[in-house]
Amino acid sequence: MKKVIFFLMLVTQINAQTSKGNNSPVIKGAKAKVEYIKKQVINQKLPANLTPYLAGLIFSNKTITPNQSSINKALSVWFKKYSELKLKIDKISDGNTKKMAEKNLDEGNFSAVEKIIGTKIHYSDLTFTFPKSFGTSGDNSPVIIGDYATVSYVVQQIITYDLPEGLTINLINELKIKSELIDSQNEKLDNINTNLKKKDIIIKDYIKKYQFIESELKKTPSEVYKRAYVFFKEGDYEKTLKELEKQGGSDKATGESNMLKAKILLLKLDHSKIDTILTEADKSFTIGVTLAPSGQNFFEYGKFLVDYIHNYVSAINFLEKADLSIEDNRLKVEIYNYLGLSYYVVDRVKSNNMYFKAIALLDSMETLSDNSLISAKSQIYSNIAFNYSTRDFNAENIKTAISYSQKAIDEISRIPVPSHSDLYKKTAFIRQKGQGHAMLNEISQAVECYNTALLFLKDSYKNDPDSFAIDLSSVYYNLNQVYFYSETPERGIDALKQAISIIEPKISLNSKIFLYAYEQLYTALFAYYAIQNKVPETMEGLNIINEKLKPFVQENPKEFLIHQAWINSDKGYIYGLQNNFIEAEKFLLQAYDYYAQNINMIQFDKQKAADCFYRTNELLLKLGKSEEALAHNKKLLTEIKTASSINRFAYEDFIPQLEQQIGRVYTVTKEKDSAYHHMEKSTALVETKAKQYGSSYLGSYGNYISQYYLTNLYFGDYSLADEKVKRFIKVCDIILDVDYYVKENMQAVIGEVTSNFAVQLFGFAQAGSATTKYSELSKIYDNCSYYFLLSEKYFENGLNNANNRFKYSQTLYKSMILEEFLFKFSQSDSQKALSLEKKCKLSSKSLSNIKDLPDNVSTQSLRNNIKVLSFNCN
């Protein structure tokens, strides 16, 4: 251990090997030092939660030498700046401003305080003392990535494993990158929860990598390795890498040194240079496996491709080579687990086959009494369950998934004295089982699982609220979904509000992950408000999020102004629904202007950006500002095309949308040829994607061709509209032949789109009925009937979940409306009798289809509507 750690251990006289978390000798030593400086130098009372922050500053800044006077000076400088700001805050008269400033000061976020109170203090001595921290601010500091406990825990791990304290910042960078917390705007609540819980695994894996490199450098007799070892132990990775480049000799020796170089590069990850470092590491790994092909090296490269590059297809090749070369069963279990993860992307059946191989190997290992192996086996069972639950979405697969979730629960229950981590894992499996029951609409079983999970998580939350807030709120979110669709919407909303109340107190500039979770929960709440038409409640929620967001925008506008754009877009949309077009235009254009001026940011939430573009276009058309809408769309299309040429996957989906919006403008201005031209361009782009990628683009393709269909109807081209229906069905049949996963899950999507063709055609026929001949109307209504029959054909093959069955019954009800109209419209008794017969059969089929669905507001309303329309059926 180095002198600085030894000094702090003397201060507290605590054994480093047994202390944990905030009992770490570093944290306790820092606290003692903080208390001393407070009393002897500044006589200033400071919040207790600053202690780990200051410990992190001390141990991650190499300019602070490991002696008492250097530490005294560093803390004195920091406290001086704290006091200057505290004095200025004390003079503020506005209560809200003062409260916000004090909160940021108590978090050690000086730059945010300055922005709030409109002042500036001199930082030269502070920057000189803490250059690594004050190059940035707040939780962008190299030592603060989300919460104070992270710094404390990482420092404790460094001490426990007898590693150089200089590794602290490297390990925190590893957490920042691999947990992907910084870019988690797009993550779902469950994924945020998963990422947070990976922290301990990431730390242990990082320490294991460090110890492996240390061992390899130490044991290899080469002089180059000996010199590299000295630099490595000093924490100078640049010199270590340069020394390894001097390694000559055989191809194998060069290959092994490149493998080691790649691993060292991964130890010194810097978030700002991540792309460069990963490129260098990939190059070294490639040279390594080429010149020194071995099972272990293939496995290391495969893991890298999965963990850092997410290139699962390439990883499969190297992992399979590793499987052929490696005999050690424990290592083969790891290989099969990584193969399972990799195959998930391309073939879920093969993915599960890899997991089954891992299970077979684990079963062959004597009595399997090793707790780590039991835990590994339980996790693999859970992975198998997940694959079944996402494979085809049919009832049998979901039942199989539930059975494997139960196997995971049974397996981990075998651990004689389970740790808290084991119990947490078991809780996750129970929750997974509950999600399976929910998918099958087995409400009581799902609720039972979720309540069991809550028992453990509530207790854990009491002891460690920061670590378990996301977990606890996630289960309430699950309960919300079950309750809302099975019992009463109010109970579901109460569960969601409970989840929000858990997250809300945790939101701070140093824990922005909770802001992301908070936004997602509120977004879910807005969806339920929309179903119930609760507009005031939605607007109130948006205003609440807006207040929570303000300090984040002040602190880091580059990252958080996009959140403001999301809110503005939603508020503008709601004002538009209320016909308050002045406010609607103000907020939508603010959001639109942000996206137009920050094209690079739209990739962080494509759906919200797409919604904003669409809403703005439709509002401008409604306001009669067609020229303005056209100019907006054309300018944005040019910029998006430029961005797409650099990063195709991030931007190419916006191109057909903007082409479609231009087509919409020309439709409104009655410029038929231009409207058709742009509608064809937009539809053709998405059609190509649908043929290439199948189910992932099928729903989108249906939306685009429906808009083209509507344009044909708008201009009275019914025959061209019919061609769009035939074109859609032809493309869908191609996809059904080549895409295994679409066969059941997506047929309901095809059915829904096809029924919409019928509804749209019926609406246009009604609107023009006064000027259209009876014979022509009859042909149009015949097409409506035909589209509904097509829709039924697809729906009947896709009734694999409650949601699809409900949509199918809705379609049957709409078809009933058509037949009721035709009963009155027809001029012959035989035609009237046929329409009545059809309507009554549709009624019987629809009621039978939803008889077992949850008795909620939506199903009750649909049942009542069907019964009312069946008044003249026997």
Side-chain angles (χ1 to χ4, degrees):
M1 305 300 289
K2 292 189 178 179
K3 291 179 183 177
V4 65
I5 296 183
F6 178 69
F7 164 74
L8 290 173
M9 286 175 68
L10 287 178
V11 173
T12 54
Q13 298 179 351
I14 291 180
N15 187 323
Q17 299 302 315
T18 58
S19 57
K20 293 185 178 181
N22 285 321
N23 289 321
S24 157
V26 174
I27 300 302
K28 288 218 168 186
K31 185 173 182 180
K33 180 56 64 174
V34 168
E35 292 296 327
Y36 174 81
I37 297 295
K38 283 194 295 185
K39 292 176 181 177
Q40 301 298 320
V41 182
I42 62 169
N43 193 28
Q44 174 71 60
K45 184 178 180 181
L46 293 167
N49 62 2
L50 280 173
T51 300
Y53 178 87
L54 295 175
L57 293 181
I58 291 170
F59 291 104
S60 68
N61 284 276
K62 294 177 182 178
T63 55
I64 303 173
T65 56
N67 60 64
Q68 183 171 348
S69 61
S70 176
I71 295 172
N72 287 348
K73 180 184 176 184
L75 290 174
S76 295
V77 167
W78 195 91
F79 287 142
K80 181 181 177 184
K81 298 306 173 189
Y82 181 98
S83 299
E84 287 181 35
L85 289 172
K86 184 70 170 65
L87 287 171
K88 291 179 181 293
I89 291 172
D90 288 342
K91 297 175 182 178
I92 296 173
S93 57
D94 181 71
N96 288 334
T97 303
K98 186 173 183 178
K99 185 177 179 181
M100 188 181 297
E102 286 176 338
K103 181 177 182 296
N104 281 277
L105 184 65
D106 288 351
E107 293 173 351
N109 199 340
F110 293 174
S111 58
V113 175
E114 286 186 341
K115 292 175 185 176
I116 293 167
I117 67 177
T119 188
K120 187 73 179 174
I121 60 174
H122 297 292
Y123 278 101
S124 56
D125 53 350
L126 194 60
T127 305
F128 176 78
T129 310
F130 296 112
K132 284 186 177 291
S133 177
F134 285 87
T136 55
S137 62
D139 60 358
N140 287 323
S141 158
V143 295
I144 303 294
I145 65 163
D147 60 83
Y148 303 115
T150 297
V151 176
S152 170
Y153 184 70
V154 167
V155 171
Q156 184 269 327
Q157 293 297 313
I158 294 292
I159 293 169
T160 300
Y161 286 90
D162 196 23
L163 304 175
E165 73 272 8
L167 279 181
T168 301
I169 191 169
N170 300 73
L171 182 45
I172 290 175
N173 274 330
E174 174 89 349
L175 279 171
K176 181 186 290 187
I177 291 159
K178 291 189 76 173
S179 295
E180 300 175 353
L181 299 184
I182 301 303
D183 296 322
S184 62
Q185 294 100 318
N186 294 330
E187 300 282 5
K188 300 299 182 191
L189 191 64
D190 288 349
N191 290 340
I192 288 177
N193 169 45
T194 303
N195 284 336
L196 283 173
K197 286 301 160 190
K198 286 178 181 174
K199 185 195 302 182
D200 194 58
I201 297 171
I202 292 167
I203 290 172
K204 295 295 190 293
D205 183 59
Y206 183 90
I207 291 170
K208 184 179 176 182
K209 285 190 295 185
Y210 177 88
Q211 292 172 330
F212 174 82
I213 295 167
E214 181 185 33
S215 171
E216 287 295 302
L217 289 171
K218 189 175 182 179
K219 76 180 185 183
T220 306
S222 160
E223 290 300 318
V224 168
Y225 274 64
K226 287 179 181 179
R227 291 193 297 271
Y229 175 75
V230 173
F231 291 130
F232 183 77
K233 288 300 289 182
E234 291 175 353
D236 194 332
Y237 298 139
E238 292 300 332
K239 288 183 179 178
T240 306
L241 291 167
K242 285 181 181 178
E243 198 62 41
L244 286 173
E245 288 174 4
K246 299 174 185 177
Q247 177 66 33
S250 65
D251 283 351
K252 183 179 179 182
T254 304
E256 293 294 354
S257 68
N258 271 278
M259 291 297 296
L260 209 52
K261 280 170 59 181
K263 293 170 187 174
I264 292 169
L265 283 165
L266 297 181
L267 280 187
K268 69 183 202 72
L269 282 179
D270 180 340
H271 197 270
S272 64
K273 300 175 184 176
I274 182 68
D275 290 336
T276 302
I277 292 173
L278 291 180
T279 300
E280 289 180 31
D282 190 34
K283 182 180 177 182
S284 291
F285 270 126
T286 303
I287 295 170
V289 295
T290 302
L291 299 181
S294 69
Q296 183 65 47
N297 287 347
F298 288 140
F299 181 41
E300 293 294 337
Y301 189 30
K303 285 201 298 182
F304 167 77
L305 290 171
V306 171
D307 290 340
Y308 291 93
I309 307 296
H310 307 309
N311 186 346
Y312 301 101
V313 176
S314 295
I316 290 170
N317 176 44
F318 292 99
L319 292 168
E320 288 185 335
K321 286 181 179 179
D323 177 33
L324 293 173
S325 306
I326 289 174
E327 298 297 329
D328 180 79
N329 279 351
R330 283 189 179 233
L331 196 51
K332 286 179 86 74
V333 168
E334 282 192 67
I335 292 169
Y336 291 140
N337 193 43
Y338 269 92
L339 276 168
L341 291 170
S342 301
Y343 268 121
Y344 176 81
V345 178
V346 293
D347 190 331
R348 307 214 182 143
V349 175
K350 281 190 177 180
S351 174
N352 267 352
N353 287 341
M354 293 300 113
Y355 291 136
F356 289 136
K357 283 188 175 184
I359 293 291
L361 274 182
L362 287 166
D363 284 341
S364 71
M365 293 182 188
E366 296 184 3
T367 59
L368 198 65
S369 58
D370 184 318
N371 287 357
S372 64
L373 291 180
I374 292 173
S375 180
K377 187 177 179 183
S378 68
Q379 184 59 60
I380 292 170
Y381 277 137
S382 176
N383 293 347
I384 294 170
F386 180 76
N387 276 5
Y388 272 112
S389 69
T390 58
R391 186 186 290 178
D392 298 323
F393 293 96
N394 64 44
E396 287 308 309
N397 278 336
I398 305 302
K399 288 176 182 177
T400 305
I402 291 170
S403 72
Y404 276 101
S405 293
Q406 185 61 52
K407 284 178 183 288
I409 296 165
D410 293 341
E411 185 65 26
I412 204 162
S413 298
R414 291 179 55 232
I415 295 177
V417 184
S419 65
H420 187 273
S421 177
D422 296 327
L423 293 173
Y424 171 78
K425 213 170 186 179
K426 181 178 179 179
T427 300
F429 301 152
I430 292 169
R431 183 179 166 208
Q432 181 187 52
K433 183 184 175 187
Q435 289 169 325
H437 285 302
M439 292 172 75
L440 291 177
N441 225 38
E442 294 171 350
I443 305 306
S444 60
Q445 295 97 317
V447 171
E448 181 182 356
C449 288
Y450 293 147
N451 283 335
T452 302
L454 282 177
L455 289 175
F456 171 79
L457 292 173
K458 283 180 179 178
D459 189 53
S460 300
Y461 175 76
K462 287 177 186 176
N463 298 321
D464 189 357
D466 287 338
S467 296
F468 288 93
I470 296 285
D471 287 284
L472 189 56
S473 63
S474 295
V475 179
Y476 278 114
Y477 175 76
N478 292 143
L479 278 170
N480 145 257
Q481 293 176 304
V482 171
Y483 285 141
F484 193 89
Y485 289 109
S486 65
E487 296 181 10
T488 61
E490 288 72 22
R491 193 166 183 181
I493 289 174
D494 285 344
L496 194 50
K497 286 181 176 178
Q498 181 70 29
I500 291 171
S501 71
I502 293 165
I503 296 296
E504 186 171 19
K506 305 298 174 191
I507 298 171
S508 75
L509 291 172
N510 285 308
S511 296
K512 59 187 175 183
I513 191 70
F514 293 113
L515 176 69
Y516 301 149
Y518 190 70
E519 288 176 323
Q520 290 173 19
L521 289 168
Y522 248 116
T523 299
L525 186 59
F526 295 154
Y528 300 128
Y529 282 161
I531 293 171
Q532 297 181 320
N533 198 30
K534 293 184 175 181
V535 175
E537 289 85 348
T538 303
M539 191 63 78
E540 180 186 5
L542 286 169
N543 289 332
I544 289 171
I545 296 178
N546 207 34
E547 285 301 310
K548 295 289 182 187
L549 183 61
K550 282 181 180 178
F552 289 89
V553 173
Q554 288 178 325
E555 167 67 17
N556 190 351
K558 183 178 179 181
E559 181 174 348
F560 287 100
L561 275 174
I562 188 172
H563 296 243
Q564 188 68 64
W566 300 342
I567 293 171
N568 288 343
S569 177
D570 286 343
K571 289 178 80 169
Y573 176 66
I574 291 170
Y575 277 124
L577 293 177
Q578 296 174 313
N579 294 325
N580 186 344
F581 297 125
I582 294 175
E583 290 297 302
E585 186 176 16
K586 181 180 81 172
F587 282 105
L588 277 174
L589 286 179
Q590 282 178 8
Y592 188 97
D593 289 345
Y594 169 80
Y595 286 123
Q597 294 164 21
N598 297 273
I599 294 295
N600 64 306
M601 296 301 288
I602 67 176
Q603 61 183 301
F604 291 115
D605 197 323
K606 295 181 183 180
Q607 188 56 55
K608 286 187 179 290
D611 287 344
C612 178
F613 297 157
Y614 171 78
R615 290 166 176 176
T616 305
N617 193 60
E618 291 301 306
L619 179 66
L620 291 174
L621 291 178
K622 188 177 286 188
L623 295 175
K625 297 183 178 183
S626 300
E627 290 184 8
E628 187 177 337
L630 192 60
H632 273 308
N633 289 321
K634 287 186 173 181
K635 182 180 178 182
L636 192 56
L637 179 59
T638 301
E639 292 176 357
I640 292 287
K641 282 183 175 179
T642 302
S644 180
S645 67
I646 300 169
N647 187 348
R648 178 168 64 89
F649 293 106
Y651 298 99
E652 64 179 355
D653 289 344
F654 288 99
I655 296 174
Q657 176 181 342
L658 291 168
E659 290 284 7
Q660 184 190 74
Q661 287 180 189
I662 293 171
R664 280 279 297 130
V665 177
Y666 283 127
T667 301
V668 171
T669 57
K670 295 182 172 59
E671 297 175 66
K672 179 178 176 179
D673 291 342
S674 294
Y676 282 6
H677 172 73
H678 287 282
M679 286 296 179
E680 177 59 37
K681 285 180 74 173
S682 69
T683 305
L685 285 169
V686 183
E687 185 175 290
T688 301
K689 289 285 187 183
K691 289 178 179 177
Q692 184 177 0
Y693 296 111
S695 58
S696 57
Y697 273 88
L698 182 55
S700 179
Y701 175 57
N703 293 334
Y704 276 90
I705 207 158
S706 291
Q707 190 62 54
Y708 197 177
Y709 175 84
L710 277 171
T711 304
N712 291 152
L713 293 181
Y714 180 82
F715 287 109
D717 292 335
Y718 292 105
S719 60
L720 285 177
D722 187 50
E723 286 179 16
K724 301 300 176 295
V725 179
K726 292 174 182 175
R727 176 174 169 180
F728 174 71
I729 295 300
K730 184 178 180 181
V731 171
C732 287
D733 287 342
I734 291 171
I735 295 171
L736 287 171
D737 284 338
V738 299
D739 191 338
Y740 174 78
Y741 294 108
V742 82
K743 286 191 182 299
E744 281 198 56
N745 187 43
M746 296 301 289
Q747 292 213 51
V749 174
I750 302 171
E752 189 174 14
V753 173
T754 310
S755 71
N756 286 339
F757 289 141
V759 172
Q760 290 162 352
L761 181 58
F762 181 70
F764 269 87
Q766 289 288 285
S769 60
T771 57
T772 307
K773 294 180 181 178
Y774 178 87
S775 58
E776 291 175 357
L777 282 174
S778 294
K779 290 179 182 178
I780 292 171
Y781 293 138
D782 284 345
N783 271 354
C784 288
S785 296
Y786 172 65
Y787 297 159
F788 273 128
L789 284 173
L790 270 180
S791 173
E792 284 190 58
K793 167 193 162 186
Y794 286 104
F795 259 122
E796 285 170 355
N797 292 317
L799 300 179
N800 43 52
N801 62 49
N803 191 40
N804 287 347
R805 286 166 61 198
F806 180 76
K807 288 181 178 179
Y808 180 38
S809 289
Q810 283 184 313
T811 293
L812 295 172
Y813 172 64
K814 293 170 187 175
S815 187
M816 284 177 64
I817 294 174
L818 172 66
E819 295 303 332
E820 173 64 19
F821 169 79
L822 292 177
F823 175 78
K824 298 174 181 176
F825 172 80
S826 300
Q827 295 181 344
S828 71
D829 290 339
S830 60
Q831 187 63 47
K832 286 180 182 291
L834 182 61
S835 293
L836 179 61
E837 182 183 358
K838 282 184 180 180
K839 185 188 77 168
C840 294
K841 285 182 179 179
L842 289 166
S843 171
S844 177
K845 188 186 292 187
S846 182
L847 288 173
S848 174
N849 186 56
I850 60 173
K851 67 179 180 181
D852 296 327
L853 291 187
D855 192 22
N856 59 34
V857 174
S858 300
T859 51
Q860 284 178 4
S861 175
L862 182 57
R863 284 191 189 102
N864 291 337
N865 289 337
I866 293 168
K867 289 174 181 176
V868 168
L869 200 57
S870 307
F871 68 96
N872 52 351
C873 294
N874 294 329

